[in-house]
Amino acid sequence: MPVNITSIKTSSNGAWQGDNPLDYAFPLLIVQTVLILVVSRFLAFCFKPLRQPKVIAEIVGGILLGPSAFGRNKKYLHRIFPAWSAPILESVASIGLLFFLFLVGLELNLSSIRRGSKRAVGIALAGISLPFICGIGIAFVLRKTIDGADKVGYGQFLVFMGVALSITAFPVLARILAELKLLTTQLGEIAMAAAALNDVAAWILLALAVALADGNTGGHKNPLVSVWVLLSGAAFVTFMFVIMRPAMKWVARRCVPQQDAVDEAYICLTLAGVLVSGFVTDLIGIHSIFGAFVFGLAIPKSGNFAGILIERIEDFVAGLLLPLYFAASGLKTDVAKIRGAEAWGLLALVISTACAGKILGTFAVAMMFMIPVRESLTLGVLMNTKGLVELIVLNIGKEKKVLNDETFAILVLMALFTTFITTPTVMTIYRPARGIPTRTHRKLRDLTTTDGSKDELRILACVHDPRNVPSIITLIEATRSTTNSILKLFVMHLVELTERSSSIIMVHRVRRNGFPFFNRFRRGECHDRVAQAFQGYSQLGRVMVRPTTAISAMSTMHEDICHVADDKRITLIILPFHVQWRDEGDGLVENVSQSWRAVNQKVLKDAPCSVAVLVDRGFGSETQNPGPNSSVTHRVCIIFLGGPDDREALELGGRIAEHPAVKVTLIRFVEKNGKESKDEMLPLSPAQTECSDQTYSFSTTKMNCEKERKLDETAVAEFRKCGGVDYKEEVASNVIEGVLTIGQSRDYDLIVVGKGRFKSNMVAEDAELGPIGDILTSSAHGIVSSVLVIQQHAGEAPESKVRSRV
């Protein structure tokens, strides 16, 4: 039943009074929004195993909801998406699009583009010019083949086709690079820089295309209109960068957050500026999104203001409003318009021409810059990524009546196909060489047993929260030997790969900074203090600090850690424990994430070197960064029961003992008869310990008990030769009570223990920290000391699951 649009009301009186909510604007908008979100999220879930970006699911979802699929049912189409609701849905979607393009402008740093390498500039120019020329050639073919395509003037049609084929989607490319773990590689750097240049050039060309289209509409053709539109657009851009940019710098300085609070007036003022900028460019005759994009470019990227804006609006815009735009585009896309072999042949021609222009143009220039063949071909495929910007261009072209229904459908399918094939193609042709696994210096003991006295101790410290930093700085400083070896520290910031593109862009933007992860940390005095501590520590003698960033899904984060450890010949990996204690006087426990626990467990299993898990209870919070000449003393206790892991803990303790500001005590548990039997496990009482996992894993590798005993005695004897260490022996009548007594004594700032992977008659073992570490970590025992649990790398050690006698 047709509805008079002038009689449409916002809300109904309710079903009890006989009103159908779907005949009213707002209830229908709610139903449409929910349906769109459900379909797009379901498709995103389905495409996730294929490692496709979310934009693919949103484009496909929009097409399915439109006349190409579900819309073939006219009853559904007229009830859920009636013609009178289209302006309302598109208006709401346009608001989301406006702010999304503002976010894109915020994420683009013009200064970094200006500093871009010659290779990135050359690749970007080739990636625009050749596809643009190919687009012009395709435009001539389409005009002669598709009915009605020749009714549009040559100029605007040629420019729209050229822009449609030459665009590279900057945000979508960032997501694909992150998914493929290429974002922080040299190839990723070149691709991102070239895509950023391509993005800016595409918007300039789009403004030109819109200006040309406006000069030939309204029933008259006046080329002066296009000239006035272009001049007005240039004046707008000049005004934004000459007048508004200094004003926004002043606003950004005023918005330095104090205690994580920002004046809401400045945020609201900026968001209003987005709307005003969109209105002005629409008034000029250029699409309103151009104004929002330029306003985003004009906001300074230094400081925290841009990050605050992104955090405030990104989830709402990208998660809720943007899918509406894809749905609105899908409602305009009718695949049924592509009829006959000739039309499908045109689709194949457009796809092949678009791919060939991008890939061949980029490949040729990359080869000229002496980039290897595989990398050059991969760059070409990556630069062929389309996405939201492509849809924007096509929708504007359809809105300006430059593209008819068939041309529009062909180009939408082209954008979908080229983006869909990017990830599998790159995975096929480019797999970064992992190199031959290095087996030297994989344990701390290896450094001691080698002949050279200047061996390099390489430590990989992983950080995923700013609260990890002080304790890691203090621990690294304590291990900085003054006699044996040079220390090289690799700091890896672990960033979870989420659906928020801004985290990827911002981390990539600042990764050339000495410490890239600080820009995403909690802001304010704490942030400044942490940054200064790490930057100051990097200047200390004989310590070389090298930062790196891992942006991965939690399920594959351990692969990045292990790869860096193998590639950099790391001796020891330091991981923060997944549980943190907040220092508020009551010892509150904060469980950061079980996902981080899974990461730690996988690293412990697959690491090519020794691994230490740091359970931080304020180690280094009072006296950060003690220097070699400092009188401040940290008290460290090493608990020794015997075995490879305990010997590795003892080796680290020997290095710590060389630091003049650290006091080390070794407490060795021995049996009553003075022997160490390794035949059976002592049962553990539930009253004595609270293990989170009652299934323990032990190595099935056969041990030579006599050899192990000799190695233990040798390690202890060597350690006791270190000057300034205390040595104590405890009779192991009850190991657990003895360990708890040490932990509850408050005599030590840090307790170092071995994980212990072999069966012992003293203790049974937890899968993550081992039995002693699990006891010391439990929040039920009132232990205040920080704990460092060490696992020695022992090559291939098969494990079997056994049930403890708890």
Side-chain angles (χ1 to χ4, degrees):
M1 177 179 176
V3 179
N4 185 0
I5 193 169
T6 60
S7 66
I8 296 299
K9 295 182 180 179
T10 302
S11 58
S12 69
N13 294 318
W16 293 111
Q17 299 189 39
D19 287 349
N20 185 345
L22 298 183
D23 291 335
Y24 296 83
F26 189 62
L28 180 60
L29 180 63
I30 293 175
V31 172
Q32 291 172 341
T33 303
V34 172
L35 178 62
I36 292 166
L37 292 178
V38 169
V39 171
S40 63
R41 299 305 301 180
F42 174 75
L43 290 174
F45 175 78
C46 294
F47 288 141
K48 193 172 183 180
L50 302 177
R51 306 179 78 171
Q52 292 295 329
K54 189 176 67 170
V55 66
I56 290 291
E58 291 171 333
I59 294 175
V60 173
I63 293 175
L64 290 178
L65 291 172
S68 300
F70 299 160
R72 289 183 173 274
N73 185 328
K74 299 302 180 182
K75 187 175 181 180
Y76 150 83
L77 191 64
H78 293 155
R79 173 52 63 189
I80 305 299
F81 294 102
W84 61 263
S85 70
I88 301 171
L89 179 64
E90 291 181 10
S91 296
V92 177
S94 296
I95 294 176
L97 183 66
L98 195 72
F99 281 100
F100 183 79
L101 268 297
F102 169 68
L103 292 175
V104 173
L106 274 179
E107 293 168 355
L108 275 177
N109 193 342
L110 289 178
S111 60
S112 65
I113 293 176
R114 287 194 296 266
R115 294 194 305 266
S117 64
K118 291 182 179 179
R119 291 191 297 184
V121 174
I123 289 171
L125 291 177
I128 295 173
S129 56
L130 185 58
F132 192 88
I133 295 171
C134 293
I136 293 176
I138 286 291
F140 282 105
V141 176
L142 294 180
R143 283 179 65 88
K144 293 181 179 180
T145 308
I146 298 178
D147 293 336
D150 55 351
K151 295 180 181 179
V152 185
Y154 264 107
Q156 58 266 39
F157 189 70
L158 296 182
V159 174
F160 263 103
M161 289 299 302
V163 173
L165 267 65
S166 61
I167 280 177
T168 296
F170 179 69
V172 179
L173 177 62
R175 162 65 51 181
I176 291 175
L177 288 171
E179 286 278 2
L180 299 177
K181 301 184 185 298
L182 298 175
L183 186 64
T184 54
T185 64
Q186 185 180 24
L187 181 70
E189 282 187 1
I190 296 173
M192 288 290 285
L197 285 165
N198 190 298
D199 222 25
V200 174
W203 285 108
I204 296 173
L205 291 173
L206 178 59
L208 173 63
V210 173
L212 290 173
D214 285 339
N216 291 273
T217 56
H220 63 279
K221 296 183 179 181
N222 187 355
L224 287 179
V225 172
S226 300
V227 175
W228 283 116
V229 170
L230 289 175
L231 290 177
S232 300
F236 172 78
V237 173
T238 303
F239 172 81
M240 295 300 292
F241 282 94
V242 174
I243 306 298
M244 288 303 299
R245 187 174 178 83
M248 295 310 299
K249 283 185 177 180
W250 178 84
V251 171
R253 286 194 299 269
R254 299 275 295 181
C255 284
V256 175
Q258 299 296 332
Q259 299 178 348
D260 290 339
V262 178
D263 192 341
E264 293 295 327
Y266 294 111
I267 301 293
C268 294
L269 182 67
T270 304
L271 298 182
V274 177
L275 298 173
V276 172
S277 300
F279 173 78
V280 171
T281 50
D282 190 81
L283 181 67
I284 290 173
I286 306 175
H287 202 281
S288 56
I289 59 174
F290 185 77
F293 175 74
V294 174
F295 187 63
L297 287 177
I299 292 180
K301 308 304 184 290
S302 58
N304 300 317
F305 185 58
I308 293 170
L309 288 172
I310 290 174
E311 289 178 358
R312 293 291 179 90
I313 66 176
E314 181 182 30
D315 290 335
F316 179 72
V317 170
L320 181 65
L321 298 182
L322 202 58
L324 303 183
Y325 184 77
F326 288 102
S329 300
L331 291 172
K332 301 175 186 175
T333 307
D334 189 359
V335 179
K337 296 289 184 181
I338 308 176
R339 300 189 190 94
E342 184 180 74
W344 287 101
L346 284 176
L347 174 61
L349 177 64
V350 170
I351 291 175
S352 58
T353 305
C355 294
K358 272 285 186 184
I359 295 173
L360 294 180
T362 303
F363 175 79
V365 174
M367 290 293 293
M368 289 173 57
F369 284 109
M370 307 303 293
I371 298 176
V373 176
R374 279 198 313 158
E375 283 81 347
S376 299
L377 189 59
T378 304
L379 274 173
V381 175
L382 290 171
M383 295 298 290
N384 195 36
T385 303
K386 311 294 182 184
L388 176 64
V389 182
E390 174 84 3
L391 279 187
I392 293 171
V393 172
L394 299 181
N395 275 283
I396 292 176
K398 195 170 192 305
E399 180 184 324
K400 302 292 183 182
K401 301 188 184 304
V402 176
L403 306 176
N404 62 16
D405 291 343
E406 186 176 351
T407 308
F408 180 79
I410 287 174
L411 293 178
V412 168
L413 292 181
M414 178 271 293
L416 181 65
F417 179 82
T418 53
T419 306
F420 188 87
I421 65 171
T422 298
T423 299
T425 305
V426 171
M427 291 178 65
T428 301
I429 66 176
Y430 182 75
R431 293 182 179 272
R434 294 293 185 180
I436 300 173
T438 308
R439 296 302 175 191
T440 58
H441 301 325
R442 311 311 269 170
K443 302 188 290 288
L444 291 170
R445 292 287 298 174
D446 294 335
L447 298 181
T448 304
T449 55
T450 52
D451 297 333
S453 60
K454 293 295 183 181
D455 289 313
E456 197 173 58
L457 173 59
R458 292 168 170 250
I459 296 178
L460 175 62
C462 300
V463 178
H464 56 73
D465 190 285
R467 291 170 293 183
N468 306 144
V469 176
S471 57
I472 288 180
I473 288 179
T474 306
L475 176 62
I476 296 299
E477 172 57 28
T479 61
R480 190 166 67 92
S481 172
T482 57
T483 58
N484 281 344
S485 61
I486 300 172
L487 173 63
K488 176 173 282 189
L489 173 62
F490 295 84
V491 180
M492 174 176 275
H493 179 211
L494 307 179
V495 180
E496 182 182 1
L497 179 60
T498 64
E499 293 183 355
R500 300 184 65 181
S501 62
S502 64
S503 59
I504 302 172
I505 305 297
M506 295 188 71
V507 168
H508 179 83
R509 181 196 303 158
V510 299
R511 70 181 298 272
R512 291 184 180 276
N513 184 325
F515 297 90
F517 42 88
F518 291 128
N519 282 31
R520 295 296 294 171
F521 277 180
R522 186 176 298 173
R523 301 170 177 87
E525 295 180 2
C526 176
H527 156 72
D528 295 335
R529 188 166 60 248
V530 169
Q532 291 169 6
F534 243 129
Q535 290 172 348
Y537 183 69
S538 67
Q539 303 301 321
L540 292 177
R542 302 181 67 202
V543 179
M544 294 174 284
V545 179
R546 297 291 183 270
T548 186
T549 305
I551 306 175
S552 298
M554 298 298 285
S555 59
T556 60
M557 185 77 73
H558 68 286
E559 296 177 3
D560 289 344
I561 298 173
C562 294
H563 168 60
V564 170
D566 194 47
D567 185 57
K568 302 298 183 183
R569 295 181 292 115
I570 298 297
T571 310
L572 178 67
I573 299 173
I574 299 177
L575 301 171
F577 193 50
H578 71 279
V579 176
Q580 293 183 339
W581 280 258
R582 288 180 285 171
D583 188 13
E584 298 179 3
D586 51 5
L588 292 176
V589 177
E590 181 177 348
N591 194 333
V592 177
S593 173
Q594 287 297 322
S595 299
W596 290 114
R597 181 187 186 190
V599 171
N600 288 357
Q601 290 175 340
K602 291 176 182 177
V603 173
L604 285 166
K605 180 182 178 182
D606 300 334
C609 61
S610 296
V611 181
V613 179
L614 178 60
V615 182
D616 180 28
R617 290 190 175 99
F619 184 55
S621 60
E622 296 180 0
T623 56
Q624 293 187 21
N625 215 18
N629 301 319
S630 173
S631 60
V632 178
T633 300
H634 287 300
R635 300 160 299 170
V636 177
C637 174
I638 303 171
I639 296 177
F640 187 85
L641 282 78
D645 293 343
D646 283 37
R647 292 196 295 271
E648 193 76 350
L650 203 61
E651 183 65 31
L652 181 65
R655 292 177 174 275
I656 294 176
E658 294 178 358
H659 200 290
V662 181
K663 182 67 174 178
V664 177
T665 300
L666 171 62
I667 299 179
R668 183 183 186 186
F669 283 86
V670 296
E671 298 183 39
K672 292 181 181 180
N673 57 6
K675 297 181 180 180
E676 290 189 352
S677 172
K678 298 182 180 288
D679 297 330
E680 60 181 14
M681 289 192 302
L682 288 178
L684 296 178
S685 169
Q688 292 172 319
T689 183
E690 290 185 0
C691 292
S692 56
D693 189 349
Q694 301 303 319
T695 301
Y696 306 112
S697 58
F698 296 101
S699 173
T700 57
T701 304
K702 288 187 176 182
M703 282 195 310
N704 187 324
C705 297
E706 186 64 28
K707 180 181 178 181
E708 287 293 315
R709 209 175 291 121
K710 289 181 179 179
L711 290 174
D712 290 345
E713 294 295 339
T714 302
V716 172
E718 290 179 356
F719 179 81
R720 295 182 66 179
K721 293 178 183 178
C722 300
V725 299
D726 292 338
Y727 176 74
K728 300 178 182 178
E729 285 191 357
E730 296 282 347
V731 178
S733 57
N734 192 322
V735 175
I736 294 176
E737 287 187 2
V739 170
L740 288 176
T741 301
I742 295 170
Q744 294 167 352
S745 65
R746 298 177 181 264
D747 292 337
Y748 306 104
D749 302 307
L750 178 68
I751 299 175
V752 183
V753 299
K755 181 184 175 186
R757 287 166 292 169
F758 293 93
K759 294 182 181 181
S760 170
N761 67 327
M762 293 185 180
V763 290
E765 184 194 1
D766 174 285
E768 183 180 5
L769 295 178
I772 302 299
D774 193 47
I775 293 167
L776 293 171
T777 303
S778 173
S779 59
H781 299 136
I783 297 173
V784 296
S785 301
S786 297
V787 182
L788 187 70
V789 180
I790 298 179
Q791 172 185 288
Q792 183 190 71
H793 174 62
E796 297 294 331
E799 293 184 347
S800 64
K801 292 283 184 180
V802 296
R803 181 71 60 178
S804 71
R805 304 178 187 176
V806 178

